[in-house]
Amino acid sequence: MTTATLTAQTLAIKGGPKAVEKVDPTLFAWPIVTKEDEEAVLDVVRRGAMSSNDISKLFEADFAKWMGTKYCLSYPSGTSALQGAFWACGIGAGDEVICAGMTYWASCTSILHLGAAVNFADVEFNSLCIDPNDIEHRIGPKTRAIIVVHYAGYPADMDRIMAIARKHNVKVIEDCSHAHGTLYKGRKVGTIGDIAAMSCMSGKSFAIGEAGVMVTNNEELYERCIAYGFYERTGGPSIYAKGEGAVSNVDLSRFKGVPVGGQKHRMNQTCAAMGRVQLKSYDQRAAEIQKALNRFWDLLEGVPGLRAHRPAKGSGSTMGGWYASRGLYVAKELGGLPIAKFCEAVSAEGVPGCGPGANFPLHTHAVFHDLDLFHQGKPTMIAFGQRDVRQGKGTLPVTESIHEIAFGVPWFKHDRPEEIERYAAAYRKVAQRAEDLK
Ligand SMILES: *Cc1c(COP(=O)(O)O)cnc(C)c1O
């Protein structure tokens, strides 16, 4: 600065007043837990019913109804729900799946455990979801599925993805861990692909502990998920126990009593109990979050360097519970100000959680290059006769630039206009005074 005069607009990092003097933790506290949640959980604990499935089956019925799907299974984690879904979709040794290079590792890492390889595609700048233009050329004779992550609540471009998948006869698995209740053109994500799995762990927007859920309208996929990890349910309503007349071409009935995946997929019923209660309020609470974050971004409309991470208004698409809310950064509009400096200055204004980036790129990670999971003397990515789809640095430009293009924004849980204005003012002030940070 040329002058030492401090004004209301002086950046806090330069000694000016903070835009957010005091953080009210109730604005961010999540999940919202009431007496009803506590009673439901206590009932399970008092009955010693943590490992039964009476409540979990009720939760599954509630969840399926809420999603609008025929089937639902409850899992101990999102990771396990995804693994069940992957096997159900027929992914096995030597196969390939396509997944975004920028997502949480659980979206695809258990693919290796099935002896398959992950072919990573780039993400789009606007959505941070898989780029539909980077999918089709990756499909080969062994490609079985496309994993779609609705990143940070943003619905991926399902029309284009489904068209590509149907044309090439590959399955679509939706990872809705960030997107409970997100709408894509008016339809709930998780109901558009062949099968969906999602995390419901404590940090997610539908937060009930360490838990996950699978939903589908496809009976065979549902039955295969049961056979893979629900040993005590196989033999109940499962087609694999029906023997003759089984609708599946893979009759696993003779394996009754032992899960074919060797996994034990059973949700702790304290989570299921809380899930039943949380579900009753989820739509209303997510709508409040949407009002709050839309207000925040409306206040920042037109500010140079900053772009909202949300679908266009009037598109029928939403951000669901706006999990891990991000903003998009255009450094060249701020004279090339490095995002780290921008975030540092916003943080100095009193805003918690404004760091650069999102999930780190997966395609360059050693697990997808060198890991020899099965002790075969070669990396699992190529150990089963797959094409070598490993990719090094420089192959997925948007994914690799994630720490320069995305930053954290407050995940408001309540629409409190005056407070939200103060947070928006912090970002606006820093963007408008980017010159001062040179
Ligand atoms: C959280 C998360 C998962 C894994 O869920 P867990 O319940 O933690 O096992 C999977 N995919 C994505 C995109 C996630 O963010």
Side-chain angles (χ1 to χ4, degrees), residues 302-335:
V303 174
L306 311 185
R307 299 280 187 286
H309 180 236
R310 60 175 173 180
K313 284 181 187 160
S315 60
S317 297
T318 72
M319 295 289 285
W322 226 301
Y323 172 74
S325 35
R326 301 284 105 186
L328 302 171
Y329 191 72
V330 186
K332 66 173 190 293
E333 292 179 5
L334 299 178

Side-chain angles (χ1 to χ4, degrees), residues 77-79 82 103-104 106-107 149 175 177-178 199-201 204 211:
S77 66
T79 305
L82 282 159
T103 176
Y104 185 61
S107 296
V149 185
D175 179 350
S177 299
H178 296 187
S199 172
C200 308
M201 53 77 75
K204 298 285 151 75

Side-chain angles (χ1 to χ4, degrees), residues 102-416:
M102 200 283 295
T103 176
Y104 185 61
W105 57 261
S107 296
C108 62
T109 304
S110 60
I111 287 295
L112 296 178
H113 214 277
L114 297 171
V118 187
N119 190 340
F120 288 106
D122 211 353
V123 295
E124 295 176 304
F125 173 76
N126 286 337
S127 68
L128 301 180
C129 298
I130 194 166
D131 182 347
N133 292 319
D134 197 33
I135 295 176
E136 196 163 12
H137 69 98
R138 296 180 184 278
I139 296 177
K142 300 289 250 171
T143 306
R144 291 279 168 270
I146 303 167
I147 300 165
V148 178
V149 185
H150 305 289
Y151 199 84
Y154 198 113
D157 190 345
M158 291 307 287
D159 284 347
R160 289 187 59 201
I161 295 166
M162 291 309 293
I164 295 165
R166 292 299 175 245
K167 179 173 158 200
H168 295 276
N169 193 27
V170 300
K171 292 268 194 298
V172 172
I173 298 149
E174 293 180 77
D175 179 350
C176 301
S177 299
H178 296 187
H180 310 84
T182 286
L183 300 180
Y184 171 74
K185 300 184 182 175
R187 299 166 70 189
K188 230 174 226 173
V189 300
T191 65
I192 304 166
D194 295 284
I195 190 168
M198 65 203 86
S199 172
C200 308
M201 53 77 75
S202 306
K204 298 285 151 75
S205 58
F206 185 73
I208 61 174
E210 281 298 306
V213 153
M214 177 290 297
V215 292
T216 183
N217 285 315
N218 182 317
E219 184 181 10
E220 185 176 337
L221 295 181
Y222 168 68
E223 298 285 356
R224 285 174 65 82
C225 285
I226 289 176
Y228 190 73
F230 293 79
Y231 71 98
E232 87 278 43
R233 295 212 214 176
T234 311
S238 170
I239 54 173
Y240 298 117
K242 286 179 197 155
E244 252 185 358
V247 298
S248 166
N249 50 11
V250 193
D251 180 6
L252 301 176
S253 63
R254 70 186 185 284
F255 301 124
K256 182 178 170 184
V258 176
V260 300
Q263 310 283 320
K264 193 179 147 202
H265 289 166
R266 186 161 64 202
M267 184 186 277
N268 183 321
Q269 289 211 110
T270 53
C271 299
M274 183 163 166
R276 295 196 76 201
V277 179
Q278 287 288 314
L279 203 52
K280 290 195 246 173
S281 309
Y282 183 73
D283 284 336
Q284 174 235 317
R285 289 174 185 165
E288 178 81 5
I289 292 171
Q290 287 184 33
K291 265 167 82 180
L293 271 136
N294 276 320
R295 176 185 303 284
F296 173 80
W297 281 115
D298 287 348
L299 288 165
L300 293 174
E301 196 73 57
V303 174
L306 311 185
R307 299 280 187 286
H309 180 236
R310 60 175 173 180
K313 284 181 187 160
S315 60
S317 297
T318 72
M319 295 289 285
W322 226 301
Y323 172 74
S325 35
R326 301 284 105 186
L328 302 171
Y329 191 72
V330 186
K332 66 173 190 293
E333 292 179 5
L334 299 178
L337 179 71
I339 192 169
K341 282 203 156 176
F342 173 81
C343 290
E344 198 191 337
V346 172
S347 303
E349 296 295 333
V351 178
C354 176
N359 286 117
F360 60 80
L362 292 172
H363 66 293
T364 50
H365 194 281
V367 157
F368 297 100
H369 284 262
D370 311 331
L371 173 70
D372 178 6
L373 185 60
F374 300 101
H375 311 293
Q376 291 166 293
K378 35 175 139 151
T380 303
M381 283 280 285
I382 53 168
F384 293 91
Q386 303 97 318
R387 295 187 294 182
D388 190 351
V389 293
R390 294 176 296 176
Q391 299 175 81
K393 247 195 150 94
T395 50
L396 304 181
V398 184
T399 291
E400 289 170 41
S401 71
I402 192 68
H403 289 280
E404 278 115 59
I405 60 168
F407 59 86
V409 299
W411 188 11
F412 303 112
K413 306 305 189 313
H414 303 279
D415 183 31
R416 297 182 191 150

